[in-house]
Amino acid sequence: MSDNKLTGAQVLAQSLKQQGVTVVFGIVGIPVVDVAEAIQAEGIKFISFRNEQSCSYAASAWGYLSQKPGVCLVVSGPGVVHALAGLVNSQVNTWPLVLIGGSCETSLEGAGAFQECLQVEMCRPYTKYSARPPSVGLIPAVVERAFRHSVVGRPGAAYVDLPADFIQGFVEKDQMAVVPAVRPTFAQADPEDIKQAVEVLMDAKSPLIIIGKGAAYARAEDEIRQFVDKYQAPFLPTPMGKGVVPDMHPRNASSARSSALKGADVILLLGARVNWILHFGKRFNSKAKIIQIDVHPEEFGVNVPIDVALQGHLPLVIRQLTHAIPGAFTQSPDTNQFVSSLVQHSTINAAKQEAKYHNDSLPMTYHRAFYEIKLKLPKDVVLISEGANTMDIARTVYDFQLPRRRLDCATFANMGVGLGFAIAAQLHYPDSHVVAIVGDSAFGFSAMELETAVRCHLPLVIIVINNNGIYFGLDKDEYDTLEQQGNLPATALTPDIRYEMFAEAVGGKGYLVKTPEELATAVQQALDYKGLSLINCLIKPGGYQKLDFAWMSK
């Protein structure tokens, strides 16, 4: 091959490097093996997974943590279908991701080609941009557009289709499109809207600040902390908004969530959507005035009417508000009736929570197990929380003093994100401990990625909360009885599966624990170990219970 020619695979790899990509997550096969090799030749790290869902979730988490598009490379047809999981997850959560899928030769389309699939059309409803380059020489232009759509304005997902004949085709270097690296632009809110918001804020008697994961993504922690300290209003973080303002801050109203939502006469939404996570606004004080800051104007007024809409980049808009407000919402915030009532409710609820931590019954409860883990975790831990009860209960247990240190199933509520998220997090935070606390059902979605972590020398700590089922499980006697009757509930899993042996099988360390003392010892040993560890934590199954989803609409 002439030095003046490049293959399509090389063009793509150089285009990714041009856009600042340092890591790509994926699974290779026909026709994208050449692409992965070209990516590695450019000095970009390629993390090879065992399942496309997991690698797409890893790319999704990378986009959230790095504020740059996570890149995922998969094979054609079924590979792209499987990777839709992470693509949709990023689009719904508004995280930047670029999925690159191989596809059949253009000359064979419609002829029943190997893994032929209408991938551009399939991805379009779940992306901001979905396209195939018209030629090998225009690959850089399409990659640039995908990255630009992914990060500019409201972040989201993009898809780039790469036919096999483009991958193996050639182009003269001087015929390649020349494009710049994408640089997102940011805007402030309209000064008149800021003035109106300040008037509402300073008239408030019981204001509440709700901090969403959009604030964490936007890296608005410094600005929001300054605003909270100046305005002195209570704040309520959503699950992935925890740590934007440290949980130990005295204005944190997490332990009095219901009272805060009901009692607030002004609510300031910071990068938080009024969706199922906030009960669609149905638990807000019906007379509360709402101020919402968002980069996406279509989000204003969804589910609740908005009194003041502030469109712009969150750190810039919060800076505008901080400069504009004269000071605290009241002269004596500590003695304010609303603040005092929240402190009182928090104290009562904290005492109830503390009692749950010291339940000595065996098998362990969720709260007792989580408490033992909590005592051992370092302050800068990155915690991945996945599962039904596992995730929901953990939300009330673990405190965070730093932003972007808690990842969970987020807005789309995907099960199976745990190992992919953990791998991405460890790559992003190489000097921090990454601990994934996952339910036994959720673990099953991505268990083989233990091998990925071992192969990549990532010292993850995986704790499987094993209750023998989905939501609720059965002990062995209950399971055997119902199985003999042919009446096993759909939520039941085989009792006491030895998940720790999965880790041992791929070269990691495994621990089986049944008591608080065993759990505490295992967690410490796992944190001290330089490789992958999995703790199989057996807890109380809970028995068969009817599931109630009514909370979703209340």
Side-chain angles (χ1 to χ4, degrees), residues 384-388 390-391 407-409 414-419 437-439 442-443 445-446:
I384 317 298
S385 183
E386 179 189 24
T390 299
M391 181 178 69
L407 286 81
D408 62 24
C409 299
N414 299 46
M415 289 295 106
V417 300
L419 270 293
I437 303 177
V438 300
F443 175 66
F445 284 82
S446 60

Side-chain angles (χ1 to χ4, degrees), residues 15 35 45 54 81 111 114 194 236 246 253 296 305 324 503 543:
S15 299
V35 177
K45 186 178 294 186
S54 290
V81 170
F114 177 73
I194 291 290
L236 179 66
H296 190 60

Side-chain angles (χ1 to χ4, degrees), residues 16 21-26 39 44-49 70-73 100:
L16 295 178
V21 175
T22 58
V23 61
V24 172
F25 307 91
I39 285 170
I44 299 171
K45 186 178 294 186
F46 186 83
I47 307 297
S48 183
F49 278 70
V71 180
C72 182
L73 175 69
I100 302 168

